[in-house]
Amino acid sequence: MNDHPLYRQLQQCLEAVRRITDFQPQTGVVLGSGLGGFAQSMEIEAAIPYGDLPDFPVSTVDGHQGRFLFGYVQGAPVVAMQGRVHYYEGYDIQQTVMPIRLLGLLGVKALLLTNAAGGVNTAFQPGDLMAITDQIGVFAPSPLRGPNIDILGPRFPDMSQIYDRALRQTILEQGDKLGIPLQQGVYIQFPGPAFETPQEIKMARLLGADAVGMSTACEAIAARHMGLRVAGISLITNMAAGILDQPLSHTEVNETAARAEAAFCRLVSHVLAAFAEATA
Ligand code: HPA
């Protein structure tokens, strides 16, 4: 199934990138809300707007720019996705993970997924950072749905350690070293774009979730399918619906993200440098 139209599209995108830069990243990072300014931590060699790639999905969300940044973070060669696409934007789930698959084809060995999330665990507080231990992704369709693209990975990929334990340990060590406390927990992806109802959040808690968001789980599946080592950090921007007696808003998400940005950027820089060492 390597003549799959999605695979052809991926190859065309790869060729388009390679016409612009031959930069070889070792690790990839998806910059979620709260890491918009991460570009300043990078020594940028090339920037490619998603819209410059053939039929590439582009982000329609406020606060999400859409481009690949190729460059160095503390000397480590990295490709960063500044902005991601979400399933709720109307793309097929397979299109939603196109950028992730492109990172895989570009040769990254490890991928750090970051996001803004609501705190489902009532012991969490807005502003907390959470290293993702596992996920619940079954509330959105599988990004692997459809004929399998055998050259990317197997039909029935193992997900028993979808978030790499050693990479998570590295995240915790870097947090310790920098004096940035980290929670740990399970991320659940809901389809959005509406925030959840209080009862949905109760359900999520019963299922063992600690943080809720509208991205990431499908990306982790697509990356793991390709054999990438995956890690994730959620920034808890708000308590999930029904925990506090107040409505949720995108403004609150962005405001908390802005407050946490400096620490989050510092952590992610150090984590990416450490990942480069761990995967060298
Ligand atoms: N729910 C879903 N996605 C989110 C939330 C939330 O409470 N906060 C930030 N992203």
Side-chain angles (χ1 to χ4, degrees):
M1 258 304 169
N2 298 331
D3 58 348
H4 194 295
L6 265 176
Y7 188 65
R8 272 204 302 277
Q9 190 188 348
L10 271 166
Q11 282 297 340
Q12 284 164 4
C13 290
L14 181 64
E15 285 162 19
V17 169
R18 286 308 179 208
R19 277 195 291 276
I20 299 166
T21 180
D22 60 3
F23 189 88
Q24 185 50 60
Q26 195 178 340
T27 55
V29 58
V30 180
L31 304 171
S33 311
L35 286 174
F38 185 78
Q40 282 149 31
S41 315
M42 287 181 76
E43 203 180 301
I44 294 171
E45 299 270 315
I48 305 179
Y50 300 154
D52 287 4
L53 301 178
D55 300 321
F56 213 67
V58 293
S59 177
T60 60
V61 193
D62 248 20
H64 279 262
Q65 296 190 47
R67 53 183 190 160
F68 289 105
L69 297 173
F70 294 83
Y72 295 93
V73 176
Q74 297 187 17
V78 167
V79 55
M81 279 175 55
Q82 197 174 36
R84 57 156 56 91
V85 284
H86 303 80
Y87 181 55
Y88 64 72
E89 292 178 75
Y91 296 107
D92 290 347
I93 195 74
Q94 295 91 341
Q95 288 293 322
T96 308
V97 299
M98 271 277 290
I100 303 295
R101 287 177 151 170
L102 184 57
L103 295 186
L105 292 183
L106 284 165
V108 310
K109 301 285 178 273
L111 177 63
L112 177 64
L113 301 171
T114 71
N115 57 55
V120 173
N121 184 325
T122 54
F124 288 2
Q125 285 182 356
D128 281 357
L129 293 168
M130 182 190 91
I132 304 178
T133 56
D134 201 349
Q135 69 179 30
I136 300 169
V138 295
F139 292 97
S142 170
L144 308 183
R145 181 182 146 79
N148 187 51
I149 308 176
D150 299 333
I151 200 164
L152 298 185
R155 169 79 292 186
F156 299 110
D158 173 49
M159 294 287 147
S160 54
Q161 203 191 126
I162 182 164
Y163 292 92
D164 188 280
R165 232 174 264 152
L167 293 184
R168 173 154 48 92
Q169 198 52 40
T170 301
I171 293 173
L172 299 176
E173 282 164 15
Q174 293 302 317
D176 253 8
K177 199 179 84 184
L178 297 168
I180 298 173
L182 279 155
Q183 307 278 8
Q184 294 190 69
V186 173
Y187 179 92
I188 188 167
Q189 178 175 356
F190 280 136
F195 288 115
E196 301 71 31
T197 64
Q199 197 60 36
E200 285 162 350
I201 293 305
K202 280 188 196 161
M203 172 185 75
R205 194 177 301 115
L206 274 172
L207 295 178
D210 297 288
V212 58
M214 304 175 190
S215 65
T216 301
C218 56
E219 300 169 350
I221 293 168
R224 198 67 206 114
H225 176 238
M226 297 181 79
L228 270 61
R229 295 174 66 186
V230 179
I233 306 175
S234 293
L235 165 61
I236 307 299
T237 50
N238 57 281
M239 295 315 290
I243 296 179
L244 306 175
D245 191 19
Q246 64 185 47
L248 273 57
S249 74
H250 189 54
T251 309
E252 181 190 8
V253 169
N254 285 337
E255 282 173 2
T256 314
R259 271 200 305 280
E261 179 156 358
F264 202 6
C265 282
R266 214 153 62 88
L267 177 67
V268 167
S269 296
H270 283 79
V271 164
L272 290 174
F275 278 8
E277 266 179 43
T279 56

